[in-house]
């Protein structure tokens, strides 16, 4: 197993490079860019002002919804009255005066040393931005994944044992409704009902903690944190638990019908011993296999709209804003970070396979 883990760790480097290279080429080929965005702000053609960019000559306001202020048909930067020397200075400052391959090699060399540079438009190190946003995304991801698994696995097992009975039918109806409701729509409903939107004002509408968080006692801080997380996590769980519940149920139903279960029952073993001593280990393999993807999806992408609705400034919102602003350092650093975490979680998933079922030997398979 140790040799397998070492091989997987060594494969992370070329995989990261491949993902980053493909993304780098796609983003470079997309219209617009940081330079065009700055020039659009100077000309007053960009929409919105969300951040600042500092050049050697002064400060320029960065826009929000414009992706780059690209030239109109038939117009060059020179014909629009822009000084070519100034444009060249901007390109040099941002490193766009170098060829693509040199820029990519330099970027990857820095990233392998975990040096992600500074944001183009927020005048801060990318690492600092990620660290600031990480608590929100970690909170949403961990709590949503934990509650989803704690609810879905027991519920899926109960549905499999009572397949076709009234309990199974009623819970299936609830699951279908929960799966059909988008998480952001359910979040709006919760705000209307419980966050002062129309009826009750029981939960806060924004932020991860209260403004007087530092003044609270440790117990009050924990309660305040859970109070703020209740509605966002519930909004995400309502849609996430449906698929996992049905996956657990179907996995158990498949295992329950196999010959080894019939043999165990014929030997006189109690139903709980059969269910949790034999069926559980085999049925959980497919559930464990989906854990890394589920966690990554919840942690980095699935929470974007929830972050916006509840004013939670996390990694999802950071990456989305960076894509709109063409903030390349934040975009590429986020992608690098997400990919690295995903690869490591996949490795952890394989290790968990062997813990759940010792018969699985990746070393022998290799």
């Amino acid at each position: 197993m140790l040799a397998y883990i070492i091989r997987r760790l060594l494969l992370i480097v070329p995989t990261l490079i491949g993902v980053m290279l493909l993304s780098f080429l796609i983003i470079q080929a997309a219209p617009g860019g940081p330079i065009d965005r700055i020039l659009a702000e100077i000309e007053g053609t960009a929409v919105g002002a969300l951040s600042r960019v500092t050049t050697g000559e002064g400060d320029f306001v960065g826009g929000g919804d414009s992706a780059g202020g690209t030239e109109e048909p038939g117009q060059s930067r020179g014909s629009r009255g822009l000084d070519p020397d100034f444009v060249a200075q901007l390109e040099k400052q941002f490193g766009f005066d170098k060829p693509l391959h040199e820029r990519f090699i330099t970027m990857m060399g820095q990233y392998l040393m975990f040096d992600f540079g500074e944001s183009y438009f927020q005048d801060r190190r990318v690492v600092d931005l990620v660290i600031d946003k990480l608590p929100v995304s970690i909170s949403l991801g961990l709590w949503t994944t934990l509650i989803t698994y704690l609810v879905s696995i027991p519920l899926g097992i109960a549905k499999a044992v009572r397949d076709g009975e009234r309990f199974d039918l009623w819970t299936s109806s609830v699951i279908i409704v929960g799966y059909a409701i988008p998480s952001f729509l359910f979040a709006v409903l919760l705000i209307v009902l419980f966050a002062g939107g129309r009826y009750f004002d029981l939960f806060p509408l924004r932020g991860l903690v209260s403004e007087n968080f530092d003044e609270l006692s440790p117990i009050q801080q924990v309660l305040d944190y859970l109070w703020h997380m209740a509605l966002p996590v519930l909004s995400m769980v309502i849609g996430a638990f449906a698929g996992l519940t049905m996956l657990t149920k179907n996995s158990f139903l498949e295992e329950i019908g196999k010959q080894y279960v019939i043999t165990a029952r014929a030997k006189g073993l109690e139903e709980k011993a059969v269910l949790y001593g034999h069926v559980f280990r085999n049925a959980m393999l497919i559930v464990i296999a989906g854990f890394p993807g589920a966690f990554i999806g919840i942690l980095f992408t699935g929470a974007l709209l929830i972050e916006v609705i509840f004013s939670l400034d996390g990694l999802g919102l950071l990456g989305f804003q960076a894509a709109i602003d063409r903030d390349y350092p934040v975009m590429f650093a986020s992608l690098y970070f997400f990919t690295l975490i995903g690869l490591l979680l996949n490795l952890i998933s394989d290790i968990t396979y062997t813990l759940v079922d010792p018969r699985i030997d990746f070393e022998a398979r290799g």
Side-chain angles (χ1 to χ4, degrees):
M1 189 64 184
L2 180 59
Y4 173 76
I5 294 175
I6 293 174
R7 288 200 303 270
R8 287 290 299 272
L9 290 174
L10 292 176
L11 282 173
I12 287 178
V13 174
T15 304
L16 271 175
I17 294 175
V19 171
M20 295 300 296
L21 176 60
L22 181 61
S23 303
F24 182 83
L25 295 176
I26 293 175
I27 292 175
Q28 297 301 321
I35 302 298
D36 289 319
R37 176 171 171 253
I38 295 172
L39 297 179
E41 284 297 331
I42 296 174
E43 297 175 317
T45 59
V47 180
L50 297 177
S51 53
R52 298 176 66 86
V53 57
T54 302
T55 69
E57 299 294 326
D59 292 336
F60 300 96
V61 179
D65 296 332
S66 173
T70 54
E71 294 89 352
E72 297 178 7
Q75 279 190 313
S76 66
R77 290 168 177 170
S79 65
R80 286 156 51 192
L82 299 174
D83 184 0
D85 293 335
F86 174 69
V87 175
Q89 179 187 350
L90 285 178
E91 292 177 346
K92 182 177 181 180
Q93 177 184 339
F94 286 96
F96 295 115
D97 58 329
K98 300 176 182 178
L100 280 178
H101 70 277
E102 185 176 341
R103 287 159 50 196
F104 177 76
I105 292 174
T106 301
M107 181 186 74
M108 288 306 304
Q110 294 173 340
Y111 281 14
L112 290 175
M113 301 300 294
F114 293 96
D115 178 11
F116 301 111
E118 292 190 4
S119 167
Y120 286 162
F121 305 111
Q122 300 191 48
D123 197 24
R124 293 186 62 192
R125 295 171 63 236
V126 175
V127 172
D128 294 336
L129 287 172
V130 172
I131 292 175
D132 285 347
K133 316 298 183 184
L134 201 56
V136 173
S137 296
I138 290 292
S139 296
L140 287 174
L142 285 180
W143 282 115
T144 302
T145 305
L146 178 62
I147 295 175
T148 298
Y149 271 74
L150 289 177
V151 171
S152 299
I153 292 177
L155 181 59
I157 295 174
K159 286 175 64 63
V161 174
R162 299 172 177 83
D163 183 42
E165 298 180 7
R166 182 174 298 180
F167 173 82
D168 182 38
L169 297 177
W170 278 105
T171 53
S172 294
S173 300
V174 174
I175 289 173
I176 291 173
V177 172
Y179 187 74
I181 300 177
S183 59
F184 72 90
L185 185 60
F186 190 70
V188 174
L189 177 62
L190 290 177
I191 290 175
V192 172
L193 293 177
F194 303 113
R198 188 179 181 89
Y199 297 99
F200 305 101
D201 190 6
L202 302 177
F203 294 93
L205 184 59
R206 63 181 64 241
L208 189 63
V209 294
S210 299
E211 293 181 359
N212 63 336
F213 182 78
D214 294 333
E215 303 173 2
L216 302 176
S217 66
I219 295 179
Q220 289 176 327
Q221 288 181 342
V222 172
L223 294 176
D224 181 75
Y225 166 76
L226 295 176
W227 183 46
H228 281 77
M229 291 302 300
L231 295 187
V233 170
L234 182 58
S235 302
M236 298 179 65
V237 168
I238 194 66
F241 87 100
L244 184 60
T245 299
M246 298 308 298
L247 178 64
T248 304
K249 175 192 173 181
N250 294 334
S251 180
F252 265 79
L253 284 178
E254 182 181 356
E255 292 296 324
I256 287 174
K258 291 185 177 180
Q259 185 62 43
Y260 74 90
V261 176
I262 299 175
T263 303
R265 286 172 174 169
K267 290 181 178 180
L269 292 179
E270 295 183 0
E271 188 65 20
K272 287 186 178 180
V274 174
L275 193 62
Y276 294 100
H278 297 275
V279 176
F280 183 84
R281 183 177 62 183
N282 296 324
M284 282 297 98
L285 289 176
I286 191 171
V287 176
I288 293 172
F291 176 81
F295 182 75
I296 286 294
I298 292 171
L299 184 60
F300 299 122
T301 59
L304 173 58
L305 291 176
I306 300 301
E307 290 179 10
V308 173
I309 292 171
F310 289 99
S311 299
L312 298 170
D313 196 6
L315 288 176
L317 191 58
L318 175 67
F320 176 73
Q321 190 61 56
I324 292 178
D325 292 344
R326 298 298 196 267
D327 196 344
Y328 288 171
V330 177
M331 290 174 62
F332 289 126
S334 299
L335 177 64
Y336 182 89
F337 180 71
F338 298 165
T339 304
L340 178 60
I341 295 296
L343 292 172
L344 291 175
L345 283 177
N346 277 316
L347 176 58
I348 293 174
S349 176
D350 287 349
I351 296 174
T352 309
Y353 266 130
T354 62
L355 297 177
V356 174
D357 190 350
R359 295 173 299 175
I360 297 178
D361 188 356
F362 290 103
E363 189 81 28
R365 187 186 67 176

